[in-house]
Amino acid sequence: SQQGEEDPQALSIQEGENATMNCSYKTSINNLQWYRQNSGRGLVHLILIRSNEREKHSGRLRVTLDTSKKSSSLLITASRAADTASYFCAPCNAGNNRKLIWGLGTSLAVNP
Amino acid sequence: DTAVSQTPKYLVTQMGNDKSIKCEQNLGHDTMYWYKQDSKKFLKIMFSYNNKELIINETVPNRFSPKSPDKAHLNLHINSLELGDSAVYFCASSQTPEEKLFFGSGTQLSVL
């Protein structure tokens, strides 16, 4: 399979808690991107982390990348009800075949 | 102004019909895409154009034909619609294939 794989498939937490989502992939990558999709909407880019980076922050989001394990994680701190959405990781193939590889996402529910 | 806009938002049609979905981006990007998202939220790339040239053409029935009149537009024409074509279709754009994608809000296609 060429898919990126997110884990868990579904996550339910209370407001204020942290949410951690994991992603594994199989190929060599240029970068890895995380996206959010609210119900009935298009995907929105969150963070891009390059293959030579190990950690990146953006507001309440923290992304890590371990290329030796071919894995990444997305941490959302102090979650809010508005963070309820599906989250997708998309590794970008290295080499000539540069395209994003998508999984099924993690469905996050943040309960007020 | 909407960065990536696609029309229509909803499309309900009978089997065997031909339909088109239009997409326009005002970001000045060189690369545009069509994705199909099924009911399980799996996002599958269908086509990618770079400066009006087709660069990715995944295994998609030849009933699907993309057309790029200029680098700001990428339309999708579907002939002889089938029940299995029912899905949400997303247009997206990026400056280069490995940079972040900007998605349209999607077209929900229902084939009856």
Side-chain angles (χ1 to χ4, degrees):
Chain A
S1 169
Q2 290 287 302
Q3 295 177 15
E5 295 182 6
E6 292 91 346
D7 170 58
Q9 290 188 1
L11 183 59
S12 181
I13 59 174
Q14 296 299 121
E15 258 190 328
E17 294 181 341
N18 295 341
T20 299
M21 288 159 268
N22 302 299
C23 170
S24 60
Y25 57 92
K26 298 179 180 177
T27 62
S28 295
I29 62 171
N30 269 334
N31 63 60
L32 185 142
Q33 303 176 31
W34 284 90
Y35 289 80
R36 184 188 73 228
Q37 185 179 31
N38 289 87
S39 181
R41 308 288 292 273
L43 283 79
V44 174
H45 179 266
L46 296 176
I47 287 186
L48 182 154
I49 185 166
R50 303 194 187 282
S51 59
N52 61 354
E53 297 176 311
R54 291 296 166 257
E55 189 169 311
K56 206 158 184 181
H57 297 254
S58 175
R60 294 182 296 112
L61 307 181
R62 173 179 162 243
V63 166
T64 61
L65 178 64
D66 186 336
T67 52
S68 67
K69 295 181 179 177
K70 290 187 164 55
S71 67
S72 175
S73 67
L74 169 67
L75 169 67
I76 304 174
T77 59
S79 63
R80 306 167 181 168
D83 294 328
T84 295
S86 292
Y87 291 82
F88 294 85
C89 76
C92 180
N93 270 343
N96 292 330
N97 186 17
R98 296 170 297 165
K99 65 178 182 181
L100 300 184
I101 309 163
W102 299 87
L104 291 170
T106 292
S107 179
L108 174 66
V110 181
N111 305 303
Chain B
D1 282 345
T2 304
V4 180
S5 58
Q6 57 182 106
T7 55
K9 188 167 175 61
Y10 300 98
L11 191 49
V12 181
T13 187
Q14 300 288 329
M15 269 175 49
N17 284 350
D18 303 338
K19 291 293 178 186
S20 291
I21 308 172
K22 295 186 176 181
C23 178
E24 175 182 4
Q25 54 97 2
N26 62 7
L27 297 167
H29 287 165
D30 287 340
T31 310
M32 294 186 73
Y33 311 80
W34 277 110
Y35 279 90
K36 177 181 179 181
Q37 188 174 43
D38 63 24
S39 57
K40 294 182 180 177
K41 293 194 175 178
F42 177 55
L43 203 60
K44 177 181 166 58
I45 189 168
M46 301 174 68
F47 303 102
S48 172
Y49 270 73
N50 190 48
N51 260 324
K52 300 197 302 175
E53 287 192 28
L54 183 65
I55 56 171
I56 292 177
N57 183 358
E58 294 292 299
T59 307
V60 174
N62 58 14
R63 298 181 295 103
F64 291 79
S65 52
K67 284 194 172 48
S68 183
D70 55 61
K71 75 172 196 176
H73 295 84
L74 181 61
N75 303 323
L76 183 65
H77 189 75
I78 316 169
N79 288 328
S80 304
L81 277 155
E82 300 178 356
L83 293 176
D85 298 331
S86 295
V88 182
Y89 292 82
F90 287 101
C91 177
S93 74
S94 63
Q95 185 55 42
T96 66
E98 62 264 29
E99 293 186 40
K100 65 181 182 182
L101 269 61
F102 291 78
F103 281 83
S105 56
T107 295
Q108 174 133 19
L109 172 64
S110 299
V111 183
L112 308 177

